[in-house]
């Protein structure tokens, strides 16, 4: 399994992209310390994924939607995104690095304890892989590390009910998870590294 495409995440789920998510949004952001800010968000279709552009492209992210949840990764051009749904202990999902094609992946986890667990999946080209996934957990936030053969890939994750969003590829990648409520996106974020301009949460309302 090649790296970047070796990075794991996701499984056979029908992932319909809601056309209603594509468009321009007015956003209210909340930062640590209670500060608030307003900006704009544009969402467009990008191959098999969604492209997020905040503040005219000052920050760009890559998103995947499953049902009424969206996972988004940002922090650099090599940041991939994964979106999983949980059934019991099994997490099944889809992942992409470029947005042009998706891979699939699954693993078992109780969603609470730090652990090392077997992981398996398929790359966008159809080749398969197996390895281990290391999950470090604090509340709903998690550090993630894939070990596939000789390759190691870091990531960060956010768990929201039975939906798990992950950004992976480098220590600079950050992850967001949105709940879609009547066309309004309610999101929260977890930073790979401290970035002062990354909010804790935001609400995006379509124009």
């Amino acid at each position: 399994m090649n790296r970047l495409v070796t990075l794991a995440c996701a499984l056979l789920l029908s992932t319909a992209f809601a056309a209603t998510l594509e468009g321009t949004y007015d956003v209210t952001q909340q930062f640590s310390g209670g500060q608030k800010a307003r900006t704009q968000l544009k969402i467009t279709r990008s191959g098999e994924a969604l492209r997020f552009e905040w503040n005219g492209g000052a920050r760009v992210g890559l998103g995947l939607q499953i049902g009424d949840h969206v996972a988004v990764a940002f922090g650099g051009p090599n940041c991939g995104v994964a979106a999983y749904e949980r059934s019991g202990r099994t997490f099944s999902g889809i992942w992409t690095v470029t947005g042009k094609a998706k891979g699939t992946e699954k693993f078992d986890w109780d969603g609470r304890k730090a652990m090392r667990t077997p992981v398996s999946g398929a790359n966008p080209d159809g080749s398969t892989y197996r390895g281990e996934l290391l999950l470090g957990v604090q509340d709903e936030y998690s550090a993630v590390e894939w070990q596939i053969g000789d390759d190691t890939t870091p990531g960060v994750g956010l768990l929201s009910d039975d939906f798990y969003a992950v950004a992976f590829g480098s220590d600079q990648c950050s992850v967001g998870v949105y709940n879609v409520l009547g066309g309004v996106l309610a999101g929260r974020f977890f930073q790979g590294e401290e970035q002062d301009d990354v909010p804790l949460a935001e609400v995006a309302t379509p124009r």
Side-chain angles (χ1 to χ4, degrees):
M1 174 178 178
N2 34 0
R3 211 54 246 194
L4 275 191
V5 160
T6 224
L7 322 171
C9 311
L11 209 119
L12 300 119
L13 290 165
S14 58
T15 327
F17 291 96
T20 54
L21 290 191
E22 298 177 67
T24 302
Y25 295 75
D26 291 317
V27 178
T28 300
Q29 299 176 319
Q30 181 176 333
F31 294 83
S32 59
Q35 300 97 326
K36 292 187 177 181
R38 296 184 182 275
T39 188
Q40 290 79 43
L41 169 65
K42 184 178 181 180
I43 301 177
T44 54
R45 186 71 178 269
S46 178
E48 296 288 330
L50 295 169
R51 178 180 172 86
F52 285 66
E53 296 179 75
W54 291 269
N55 194 21
R59 178 186 295 116
V60 176
L62 188 65
L64 287 172
Q65 181 184 4
I66 297 177
D68 59 358
H69 291 89
V70 182
V72 60
F74 55 92
N78 294 325
C79 293
V81 61
Y84 304 86
E85 282 188 317
R86 174 170 60 176
S87 176
R89 289 181 55 92
T90 300
F91 285 76
S92 304
I94 50 176
W95 61 271
T96 185
V97 178
T98 64
K100 295 179 180 178
K102 299 191 300 283
T104 64
E105 187 174 281
K106 69 176 178 178
F107 58 89
D108 285 346
W109 179 36
D110 65 6
R112 298 189 302 272
K113 296 189 295 291
M115 67 179 296
R116 187 184 300 272
T117 184
V119 64
S120 62
N123 293 305
D125 64 5
S127 60
T128 60
Y129 60 89
R130 292 182 179 272
E132 286 189 324
L133 187 61
L134 179 62
L135 295 154
V137 182
Q138 182 176 0
D139 298 322
E140 296 170 314
Y141 307 93
S142 55
V144 187
E145 183 178 87
W146 287 266
Q147 295 179 348
I148 311 293
D150 295 331
D151 295 317
T152 300
T153 302
V156 289
L158 266 176
L159 188 60
S160 177
D161 299 323
D162 289 328
F163 182 80
Y164 188 43
V166 177
F168 60 88
S170 78
D171 293 332
Q172 285 73 45
C173 297
S174 297
V175 64
V177 58
Y178 289 93
N179 293 336
V180 184
L181 307 168
V184 175
L185 278 64
R188 55 194 177 90
F189 303 91
F190 180 38
Q191 304 173 26
E193 289 190 346
E194 284 298 322
Q195 302 176 51
D196 292 337
D197 61 342
V198 175
L200 298 176
E202 71 179 29
V203 176
T205 304
R207 288 184 173 178

